[in-house]
Amino acid sequence: MITATVISGFVLALTAPLLTRWRSSLAGYILTLLPLGLTTYFALQVSSIAAGQHLVESFAWMPSLGIHLSFYIDGLGVLFALLISGVGTLIVFYAGAYLAGNPQLGRFYLYLLAFMASMLGVVLSANLITLFIFWELTSITSYFLIGFEHEREEARSSALQALLVTGIGGLALLAGFLLMGHVGGSLEIRELLNQADVIQAHHLYKSILVLILAGAFTKSAQTPFHFWLPNAMEAPTPVSAYLHSVTMVKAGVYLLLRLNPILGGTDIWSLSLGFFGAVTMVTGAAMMVVQRDIKRLLAYSTVSGLGTMVFLIGLNTNTALLAAVVFLTAHSLYKGSLFLTAGAISHAAGTRDLDQMGDLARHIPLIALAAILAGLSMAGLPPTFGFIAKESLYQTVLGAPQLTIILTGIGFFTGITMVFAAGILAIPPFFGKSPNPATHHHSLPIHLWLGPVVLAALGLLIGIAPQLVAHSFISPVLQSVNPPAQDIHLSLWHGFNPILFLSLLTIASGGIAYAFRKPLLQFLAVGARLGRIGPLQWYYLILEGVKSFAQWQTQILQGGLLRRYILIIFLFAITTVMVTMFQHNGFGIKTELLSIRFFELTICLLMLAAAVITIRSQSRLSAIVAMGVIGYGIALMFILFGAPDLAVTQFIIETMTVILFVLVIYRLPRFVRRPAKYIQARNALVALLGGGLMTALVLAALNAQQGSRLSAFFKANSYLLAHGRNIVNVIIVDFRGMDTLGEITVLALAGTGVFTLLKLRPREEDDVCDL
Amino acid sequence: MRSLILATATRILMPMLLLLSAFLLLRGHNLPGGGFIGGLVAAATFILHSFAFGPQQTVRLLPISPRGIIGSGLLVATGSGVASLFKLKPFMTGQWKLMEFASGQSLHLGTPLLFDIGVYLVVLGATLIIILTLAEED
C-alpha cells in the first residue's frame, strides 16, 4: 500500500496531459482526488503510528547490491507525507485556476504530480538508494517546473541554476550514502539505526558527514548555496508555494532529521549544522527585509526559516529538536499560505511589486484574512502556531549551555525581521493607499482563496489547541528523530518568564521597525548593494570558468583537422598501451608460434606493396584502392586461419569503405599539397610506433590466450545452451548480446549522425536550422 | 550516364542477392553468416541499385526510409531482449521453443533469431543511410 501511494502519483502524472486535453476544466478536479485520497490514507495511519506501529514494505530490486525498493512510515514520515499530500491537494486545486487557459496546463500537471510522487518517495523510502533516486527526481521535476515558462531566458537560467546546485549536491549525497552503507554494512535506514556507534567511531565518519551535508545544504538552500532559491521564484506561484517553501526545500531538513539518530550528536555535527544554520538564518533575514518583490521577499524568509531549522537540529538537545519540528510544521502552514496569497494578489491586481499594491482588502477580503492570519503566525504573535514555534526557539537558545548570548542574539534578530516582514506583507498591500486606484481587479474563484485560507486557518487552529497535534503528530516525530520517546508539552501560555519577555521585546522592536519602515528601507537599500559580491556571483564565475576551460581544451583537442584527431588518438593509445606493456613485462614472444607458410608470406608481401603504394601515391583514388588491397589481404588471412565469418564481413566492409571514400573524394580538392618534410617525418614516426606496438600487442596476446577459460566455455555451451553451432554468431547474438545491442545502437547513431550533418545543414539564405 | 549492362544485370542480380542476404541471416546460427553479414549484403544490393539507377530511384524503391529501417531494427533487437522479462528472467535471456515438424525434423526457434533480425535491419539501415545520403548530395 505504501508503495502504491508513491507509484500512483507517477501513473496519474502520465495520464494528466491526456486528461487535460480531453476536459481541461474537469481535469483539475479529477487530479485533485488523488492527493486528497492520499491525505486521507496518511491521516488514517496517524493514530496507529502514534501507538508505536510502523508500516514497512520491501521489494527486492537489486538484492545482490543490497538495494531494495523499500518504504516505511513512522512519525517523521507521516508528518512529511501529510504535508506533501495535504498541501499538494490544495496546490493542484489552486493551479487549475491559476494557470487556466494556459495551453501547457497538461504538462504542468504532469510535472507537479510527478514531483509530488517523488517527494513522497523521498520521505517514505527506507533504503538509501531508493531515497537518493527519488531525491534526484525531485531535482529534475523542480527543474521542469521552474523553467515552466521556458520562453523566458530568466526562467531557463534559473531552472538550470537550481538543477546544477542541487544536482551537484545530489552527487555528493550519493557518495555519502554509499560510504555510509559501506561502513554500516547495510543500505537500509532502519538497520543503520543500530549501527550509529560503529559509523560515528569510523575514520570515514567525517567524510560521510561532509558529503551528506553537502547534499542536504544545497537542497535546503543553506548559505552559501542559498542563491538558487530566490531565483527559483521564476516558477509559477503554486510551484513556489509547494516546492520552494513547503516541500522540496525541506527535503534537506528531512534528511538531517532522518539521519540524526545515525550521524547526529557529535561535536562536528552540532558545529557544522549550528554554524551553517545560523549564518543562513541571519543572511536570509537580512536579505529579506530589503526585497520589494513579494515572492523574492517570501523566498528569502524561507531561506532564513530553513536556516532556523538546520540551526535547531544542530543544537541537538531535546528542546531544540522539538523546536525544529514545531517550527517546520508552523513554517509550512504560514509560508504556503503566504505564497498562495501572493499568487492570488498577482492574479487579481496583476503585480508582484509591494509598492504597487494597496487597498486590496476591499477587493479580495478572504485573501486579506488569510494574509493576516499567516502574517500573525510568521511574526510569532499569539494565538497562532507560529507563536508556539518561536517560544520553543527562544526556550532552546536561552537554555543553551554554551554561547547563550550569541545564539539568543541570532534568534532575536531573526525574530525582529520576521515581525517586520510580516508587517509589510500583511498590512500595506491590503489596507494601505493604492498607488493607482483605477486598476481593474479580477474577482477570485474559490480555487484561489481556498488554499491560503485553509492553511492559515490551520495555523490558527493548532495555535489555539496545540494538544490536537502534540501527541498524535509531534511526539511520534521526535521518537523517530531522537529516540526514545519523550512526553512533550505544547501550549500558548508558559507563564511569566524570560521567554515571554523576549517574545514581547521582539514584537515591540519589530513593531517599531515597521512604524519607521520608510526611512529604514531607504537606509538599508544602500547595504543591499553588498549582495552583488555574494555567492550568486561566484556561481556565475565558476560557470563561466567551466565554459571557457571547455572551449579552450576543445580547441586544442578538436580543432577541426582530421589529421590532428588521428595523431592525438594514436599518440594517446601508444603511450598508454606501451606503459602498461612495460609495467607487466608484456614483450615476451613465443618463437615456436612463429612458423610461416608460403601463402601467408605471399599475402604479406602483397599487403606490404599495397601499403607502400598507399603512401607514395599521388592520387587519392589509387591510394584508396591500395588500402582496399590491404583489407582484402587481411580477409584472406582470416580464411587461412579458419574464420569465414570474419572474412566475409571484412570483404564486404572493405568494398563498402572504398565506395564510401569514392563518394566523398568527389568533394575534395584535386590533390594534396604534401606537407613539409619534418611533418612527414613526424607522421611516419607515429605510424611506425603505432604499427610496431600493434604487432607487439598481437604477439603478446598469443601468450595471454593460454589462460582464458572463456573460449572453452563458449565452445562447450554454444550448442547446449544457445542451440547454435556457429560459435562466433552465438557469441554475437546470445552470450554477448548486450555488447551487440550497444554496438548496433552506436551504428544507428552514426548513421543518423551522418544524415543529420548532411541533410539538416542550415541553408545559406536563412540561418535557422530547417528541422 | 546510365550503363545498360549494369542496369540489366542489376535487375537480375537484385532478387538473388536479397535472397542470399536472407539465407546468410538465417543460417548464421549454425554456419558462417548472421545478421551482420546478411545486412551488409542487403545494403550492397541496394547500393548496386543506386549505382545503376541513381540514389533517388533507390530511395523510391525502399518501402520504408533507411531511418525507419534503423528504428525498427533497434526496436526488434531490444524487444527480443524484453521477452525474457515476462518470464522474470534477466533482460536478454534467450527464450527457446522447439518446433516439431510432421517429417520428423525439429527446429529450435528463439529470441536470438529475432535479435539477429534486428541487427540485420540496423546494419542495412545505417549503411544505406550513410551511403545514400552521400550519393544524393551530388
Side-chain angles (χ1 to χ4, degrees):
Chain A
M1 187 62 206
I2 317 175
T3 320
T5 61
V6 176
I7 304 294
S8 58
F10 289 112
V11 175
L12 193 68
L14 289 178
T15 62
L18 284 176
L19 195 66
T20 312
R21 198 173 302 163
W22 175 63
R23 284 278 190 281
S24 176
S25 50
L26 273 182
Y29 294 99
I30 299 173
L31 294 174
T32 309
L33 291 178
L34 176 76
L36 191 65
L38 292 178
T39 315
T40 322
Y41 171 75
F42 291 124
L44 290 175
Q45 307 305 318
V46 169
S47 57
S48 67
I49 287 167
Q53 283 179 336
H54 294 178
L55 297 170
V56 186
E57 266 176 32
S58 185
F59 300 95
W61 184 7
M62 287 177 252
S64 52
L65 297 175
I67 298 171
H68 307 280
L69 197 63
S70 50
F71 297 100
Y72 78 126
I73 309 188
D74 63 349
L76 182 61
V78 83
L79 173 71
F80 270 91
L82 268 174
L83 279 178
I84 294 160
S85 57
V87 178
T89 311
L90 298 171
I91 295 285
V92 174
F93 191 60
Y94 184 94
Y98 188 81
L99 290 171
N102 189 316
Q104 312 276 7
L105 184 61
R107 194 188 289 181
F108 182 81
Y109 282 135
L110 166 71
Y111 299 150
L112 194 69
L113 288 167
F115 166 77
M116 186 190 77
S118 318
M119 195 63 212
L120 279 176
V122 169
V123 300
L124 297 179
S125 285
N127 187 289
L128 290 176
I129 301 299
T130 321
L131 194 158
F132 168 75
I133 288 169
F134 287 117
W135 179 281
E136 290 298 73
L137 277 173
T138 62
S139 290
I140 294 167
T141 40
S142 150
Y143 169 74
F144 285 127
L145 284 166
I146 299 173
F148 180 67
E149 293 164 14
H150 54 85
E151 301 86 0
R152 287 187 302 117
E153 166 72 31
E154 305 85 49
R156 292 197 304 271
S157 77
S158 300
L160 184 65
Q161 197 174 77
L163 183 71
L164 283 178
V165 175
T166 55
I168 290 171
L171 287 180
L173 186 71
L174 177 62
F177 279 175
L178 291 177
L179 277 186
M180 187 157 80
H182 172 72
V183 172
S186 169
L187 288 167
E188 292 286 311
I189 296 173
R190 281 153 10 98
E191 285 169 26
L192 287 169
L193 288 175
N194 304 323
Q195 301 291 322
D197 299 335
V198 179
I199 294 172
Q200 295 193 1
H202 201 275
H203 69 274
L204 283 174
Y205 171 70
K206 277 181 190 157
S207 320
I208 295 173
L209 196 64
V210 169
L211 289 168
I212 289 181
L213 290 188
F217 285 178
T218 47
K219 197 81 162 179
S220 281
Q222 299 297 297
T223 308
F225 307 114
H226 64 273
F227 57 89
W228 71 264
L229 184 55
N231 290 338
M233 296 300 122
E234 294 295 335
T237 307
V239 174
S240 310
Y242 192 38
L243 273 71
H244 305 127
S245 78
V246 181
T247 57
M248 189 184 90
V249 289
K250 293 206 172 78
V253 174
Y254 164 80
L255 191 71
L256 296 176
L257 288 171
R258 176 58 84 203
L259 297 180
N260 184 50
I262 304 174
L263 298 174
T266 58
D267 286 344
I268 178 170
W269 167 276
S270 298
L271 204 64
S272 5
L273 264 63
F275 176 74
F276 280 101
V279 171
T280 311
M281 233 169 130
V282 174
T283 314
M287 297 294 290
M288 168 182 73
V289 290
V290 295
Q291 303 299 324
R292 300 310 294 159
D293 178 318
I294 189 166
K295 279 182 75 181
R296 287 185 78 83
L297 189 149
L298 287 170
Y300 276 111
S301 84
T302 307
V303 170
S304 177
L306 293 166
T308 309
M309 293 170 216
V310 172
F311 171 74
L312 286 169
I313 300 171
L315 296 186
N316 218 257
T317 56
N318 251 327
T319 341
L321 289 168
L322 172 66
V325 175
V326 169
F327 183 78
L328 185 150
T329 318
H331 177 264
S332 299
L333 295 175
Y334 74 68
K335 196 54 66 65
S337 174
L338 284 172
F339 261 114
L340 293 181
T341 304
I345 293 174
S346 70
H347 190 89
T351 179
R352 273 164 45 182
D353 188 342
L354 284 165
D355 294 326
Q356 299 300 317
M357 298 169 192
D359 204 21
L360 285 169
R362 256 188 329 125
H363 303 283
I364 41 176
L366 282 166
I367 293 297
L369 176 72
I372 287 176
L373 286 181
L376 285 175
S377 199
M378 177 173 171
L381 259 61
T384 59
F385 198 24
F387 175 72
I388 300 181
K390 201 185 54 186
E391 296 280 288
S392 313
L393 170 68
Y394 282 172
Q395 191 186 348
T396 309
V397 289
L398 284 172
Q402 296 149 339
L403 303 173
T404 319
I405 308 252
I406 299 177
L407 299 183
T408 311
I410 291 169
F412 182 59
F413 170 74
T414 314
I416 295 174
T417 58
M418 288 299 160
V419 175
F420 176 75
I424 56 178
L425 276 175
I427 303 172
F430 296 99
F431 306 99
K433 241 190 251 151
S434 176
N436 2 288
T439 325
H440 173 72
H441 291 94
H442 299 270
S443 62
L444 287 181
I446 176 172
H447 305 74
L448 292 183
W449 59 257
L450 186 72
V453 169
V454 166
L455 290 177
L458 271 177
L460 179 68
L461 179 70
I462 300 176
I464 295 169
Q467 61 274 20
L468 283 176
V469 295
H471 294 286
S472 53
F473 277 103
I474 307 293
S475 172
V477 175
L478 277 181
Q479 193 184 345
S480 310
V481 174
N482 194 23
Q486 299 97 28
D487 202 27
I488 58 157
H489 181 69
L490 292 180
S491 67
L492 280 174
W493 180 248
H494 291 275
F496 291 102
N497 55 19
I499 303 169
L500 185 69
F501 173 69
L502 197 59
S503 269
L504 291 176
L505 198 62
T506 312
I507 294 164
S509 317
I512 293 169
Y514 173 74
F516 293 98
R517 63 187 178 280
K518 286 214 173 98
L520 193 64
L521 281 174
Q522 269 165 8
F523 172 71
L524 287 173
V526 183
R529 302 224 176 95
L530 281 176
R532 289 189 195 158
I533 51 166
L536 185 60
Q537 264 50 47
W538 311 346
Y539 165 83
Y540 284 124
L541 272 179
I542 294 172
L543 205 63
E544 283 308 312
V546 169
K547 273 196 221 164
S548 46
F549 175 74
Q551 203 165 20
W552 171 79
Q553 62 110 21
T554 311
Q555 214 115 64
I556 288 188
L557 294 177
Q558 294 177 292
L561 273 179
L562 277 179
R563 292 194 285 282
R564 172 74 62 85
Y565 292 9
I566 293 175
L567 199 69
I568 289 173
I569 292 171
F570 267 94
L571 280 175
F572 183 77
I574 291 169
T575 320
T576 48
V577 174
M578 199 123 85
V579 167
T580 317
M581 283 185 76
F582 272 116
Q583 272 177 350
H584 295 272
N585 212 0
F587 288 103
I589 293 162
K590 289 199 174 160
T591 38
E592 71 266 27
L593 290 167
L594 297 180
S595 61
I596 294 171
R597 284 178 290 175
F598 172 69
F599 289 127
E600 293 157 30
L601 196 65
T602 321
I603 296 169
C604 283
L605 288 176
L606 263 174
M607 284 162 68
L608 274 177
V612 172
I613 292 173
T614 313
I615 301 169
R616 304 297 310 165
S617 162
Q618 290 296 321
S619 107
R620 284 204 172 91
L621 196 60
S622 44
I624 285 162
V625 173
M627 287 272 287
V629 172
I630 300 177
Y632 272 49
I634 295 174
L636 284 174
M637 285 290 192
F638 286 145
I639 292 183
L640 283 179
F641 286 92
D645 282 284
L646 290 181
V648 176
T649 315
Q650 180 82 24
F651 275 127
I652 306 177
I653 289 285
E654 279 308 326
T655 317
M656 296 275 188
T657 315
V658 171
I659 294 175
L660 211 66
F661 268 121
V662 171
L663 287 173
V664 175
I665 277 177
Y666 255 177
R667 280 155 230 295
L668 293 178
R670 200 92 190 105
F671 208 358
V672 232
R673 197 164 41 80
R674 291 228 166 240
K677 282 281 175 213
Y678 74 95
I679 294 183
Q680 285 194 35
R682 180 196 67 188
N683 292 351
L685 185 70
V686 174
L688 282 175
L689 265 176
L693 193 73
M694 270 320 283
T695 314
L697 199 63
V698 170
L699 289 173
L702 282 178
N703 293 342
Q705 236 172 28
Q706 310 298 330
S708 163
R709 285 172 305 155
L710 215 51
S711 41
F713 171 84
F714 288 152
K715 223 177 268 178
N717 291 299
S718 170
Y719 191 71
L720 289 178
L721 292 179
H723 307 288
R725 289 198 178 81
N726 178 358
I727 300 178
V728 176
N729 194 58
V730 169
I731 293 175
I732 290 175
V733 298
D734 204 333
F735 290 145
R736 288 292 171 92
M738 202 71 175
D739 293 359
T740 313
L741 188 62
E743 281 156 17
I744 58 176
T745 311
V746 170
L747 192 63
L749 286 176
T752 38
V754 170
F755 181 79
T756 320
L757 284 175
L758 290 176
K759 288 275 172 173
L760 303 180
R761 278 181 304 192
R763 289 198 209 97
E764 261 127 52
E765 57 265 33
D766 54 17
D767 30 355
V768 187
C769 196
D770 175 31
L771 280 169
Chain B
M1 190 196 71
R2 300 288 172 222
S3 148
L4 188 61
I5 299 176
L6 184 60
T8 316
T10 303
R11 285 216 177 92
I12 300 169
L13 279 173
M14 271 192 77
M16 290 197 276
L17 281 170
L18 285 177
L19 263 181
L20 173 70
S21 82
F23 169 69
L24 283 171
L25 164 69
L26 292 178
R27 86 201 279 257
H29 217 55
N30 290 317
L31 293 161
F36 202 81
I37 298 174
L40 283 173
V41 170
T45 314
F46 288 108
I47 287 159
L48 181 68
H49 182 271
S50 80
F51 281 2
F53 302 100
Q56 281 83 10
Q57 295 293 326
T58 315
V59 172
R60 219 166 291 162
L61 182 75
L62 293 168
I64 43 175
S65 70
R67 273 176 296 163
I69 300 179
I70 297 180
S72 47
L74 278 181
L75 202 66
V76 170
T78 318
S80 81
V82 172
S84 59
L85 294 182
F86 291 106
K87 290 199 172 173
L88 299 179
K89 294 272 172 56
F91 180 64
M92 286 196 76
T93 312
Q95 300 298 313
W96 295 92
K97 188 163 175 56
L98 187 68
M99 306 286 286
E100 304 272 6
F101 297 106
S103 57
Q105 289 172 308
S106 63
L107 181 66
H108 280 287
L109 275 185
T111 48
L113 174 65
L114 220 54
F115 184 77
D116 222 8
I117 293 174
V119 173
Y120 175 95
L121 289 173
V122 173
V123 170
L124 170 63
T127 318
L128 278 183
I129 204 172
I130 293 173
I131 291 189
L132 288 181
T133 318
L134 280 169
E136 268 187 333
E137 284 284 292
D138 298 327

